[in-house]
Amino acid sequence: DADVTQTPRNRITKTGKRIMLECSQTKGHDRMYWYRQDPGLGLRLIYYSFDVKDINKGEISDGYSVSRQAQAKFSLSLESAIPNQTALYFCATSDSTDSYEQYFGPGTRLTVT
Amino acid sequence: AQTVTQSQPEMSVQEAETVTLSCTYDTSESDYYLFWYKQPPSRQMILVIRQEAYKQQNATENRFSVNFQKAAKSFSLKISDSQLGDAAMYFCAYRSMMRGQGNLIFGKGTKLSVKP
């Protein structure tokens, strides 16, 4: 089984709808991240969390919110989706040491019409 | 703030040949990590190679190697004996070693095509 899972894998929604993307991990890591990928722009950080009570905004947090329900779960919400939030969304995890590696989920393709 | 620049949006290589992907970065820090990630059409992000800034020796992983020039803030990826399965997007990424800074900063990517 995958260490970092994301649901759904693909989603089409309408403008103005609320949508939640979920991320779960079995690696026992403290740190979790949400990134957004747009063609030609690479991946950009939306939010990150170093533990359940520590949540921080990233480079492009406007229009998004997050919830760290447990060490293993980190959800990303779009309160009122808009078409320019159409993108590929990745969740990633890492541990709290100086270990350098981040482990990525398979991504969620979100389309807002 | 740190930035990562990949100046080649697309590259092409003949199968079995060698190709080098460029990456430059800007930082005022002296300790950090650098990475190359591969993203095939499956869209999974796969770590290819990593380099710790305090190490002078260039990292190597099988057919993949880097040319790390700290003073020039350059971190290029060389792929030897290119294979069809190497076709993918490649992202260069930077990670600070400062406490509280665990996220990756990515370049915009280079799309590599491999011709048979």
Side-chain angles (χ1 to χ4, degrees):
Chain A
D1 289 340
D3 295 319
V4 184
T5 58
Q6 292 183 234
T7 55
R9 293 293 310 277
N10 297 280
R11 179 70 182 269
I12 301 174
T13 191
K14 294 185 182 296
T15 297
K17 294 291 187 181
R18 183 180 188 275
I19 184 169
M20 178 181 289
L21 309 183
E22 298 185 338
C23 177
S24 295
Q25 53 111 347
T26 59
K27 300 195 70 67
H29 288 167
D30 295 329
R31 301 180 176 189
M32 299 186 73
Y33 311 83
W34 277 104
Y35 294 92
R36 166 179 170 162
Q37 182 181 3
D38 296 279
L41 294 180
L43 281 77
R44 293 177 292 166
L45 183 68
I46 306 172
Y47 269 95
Y48 62 103
S49 170
F50 283 177
D51 66 40
V52 175
K53 296 182 179 180
D54 179 24
I55 294 178
N56 305 279
K57 293 182 178 180
E59 178 187 354
I60 53 165
S61 60
D62 287 349
Y64 302 94
S65 62
V66 291
S67 173
R68 186 82 183 266
Q69 301 95 323
Q71 186 196 40
K73 297 184 181 295
F74 192 37
S75 300
L76 176 72
S77 293
L78 289 66
E79 297 300 327
S80 179
I82 56 176
N84 77 358
Q85 291 178 313
T86 293
L88 183 56
Y89 290 85
F90 284 100
C91 175
T93 74
S94 66
D95 67 26
S96 57
T97 68
D98 281 335
S99 172
Y100 35 63
E101 188 158 358
Q102 287 195 9
Y103 298 83
F104 284 82
T108 294
R109 172 76 67 189
L110 176 65
T111 303
V112 183
T113 62
Chain B
Q2 298 86 9
T3 59
V4 176
T5 301
Q6 294 179 249
S7 59
Q8 307 152 316
E10 297 187 16
M11 292 283 286
S12 181
V13 63
Q14 204 72 31
E15 193 176 8
E17 297 295 310
T18 295
V19 65
T20 298
L21 307 184
S22 300
C23 173
T24 58
Y25 58 95
D26 188 28
T27 184
S28 59
E29 299 173 349
S30 58
D31 292 323
Y32 46 86
Y33 299 111
L34 295 165
F35 307 86
W36 279 98
Y37 279 86
K38 171 185 178 181
Q39 186 182 45
S42 67
R43 78 192 190 199
Q44 181 69 48
M45 294 292 288
I46 301 166
L47 179 63
V48 174
I49 199 165
R50 54 184 165 248
Q51 175 80 44
E52 293 89 340
Y54 62 86
K55 292 186 177 179
Q56 293 187 343
Q57 186 173 3
N58 289 324
T60 299
E61 291 286 344
N62 300 313
R63 298 183 295 106
F64 298 87
S65 61
V66 298
N67 183 4
F68 173 49
Q69 301 290 329
K70 191 173 183 179
K73 297 179 182 176
S74 173
F75 183 61
S76 60
L77 175 69
K78 186 172 80 171
I79 306 174
S80 303
D81 185 26
S82 297
Q83 300 176 359
L84 295 178
D86 294 334
M89 284 291 293
Y90 286 82
F91 292 99
C92 179
Y94 172 102
R95 179 193 181 280
S96 171
M97 285 186 69
M98 289 184 64
R99 182 178 294 275
Q101 298 291 325
N103 59 288
L104 296 171
I105 300 169
F106 288 88
K108 295 182 179 181
T110 296
K111 183 178 182 179
L112 178 66
S113 302
V114 180
K115 298 179 180 178

